[in-house]
Amino acid sequence: MADHFVRAASLAEIPPGQLARARIGGRRILLANVDGEIFATDELCTHEDSSLYLGALHGDCVSCTLHGSRFNVRTGEPREAPATEPLRTYPVRIEGDDVLVCVD
């Protein structure tokens, strides 16, 4: 079965060092621009289901405002407690100015 990519945002909506969010197939997706490269993960912190969109992106890590957990947006791996479970990550493809994400 071929991967199904869906438009999540435009590149203009996610400047370098910034976050955006999208809903795709009922999932809340966090988009992060790390030095011009876009990454997609689940939007909710795996510790307490708080929105990571409300946090800050520092390099390739996003921080949760609720308890301070940090996650690597490239891999989804937690970098700082209290979170211990990784975020799910999703493939991203750029077509023109469109950011496409596969949540299959």
Side-chain angles (χ1 to χ4, degrees):
M1 182 177 177
D3 291 335
H4 180 70
F5 283 82
V6 176
R7 185 184 185 282
S10 71
L11 284 173
E13 294 175 275
I14 321 166
Q18 298 298 310
L19 300 169
R21 58 183 165 182
R23 280 197 181 267
I24 301 173
R27 297 178 197 253
R28 292 170 62 166
I29 305 297
L30 180 74
L31 303 166
N33 185 331
V34 178
D35 297 325
E37 191 172 358
I38 307 297
F39 297 92
T41 69
D42 280 333
E43 182 198 353
L44 298 179
C45 177
T46 58
H47 175 246
E48 288 283 336
D49 288 339
S50 181
S51 174
L52 294 171
Y53 174 74
L54 301 175
L57 183 65
H58 298 283
D60 61 3
C61 288
V62 63
S63 58
C64 179
T65 60
L66 190 59
H67 294 117
S69 294
R70 291 183 336 120
F71 297 89
N72 183 305
V73 295
R74 296 175 188 272
T75 65
E77 292 298 316
R79 296 292 180 169
E80 194 166 322
T84 58
E85 295 295 318
L87 296 170
R88 183 169 177 192
T89 60
Y90 301 95
V92 173
R93 185 165 51 199
I94 307 300
E95 289 184 2
D97 189 47
D98 292 331
V99 177
L100 308 175
V101 177
C102 178
V103 296
D104 294 341

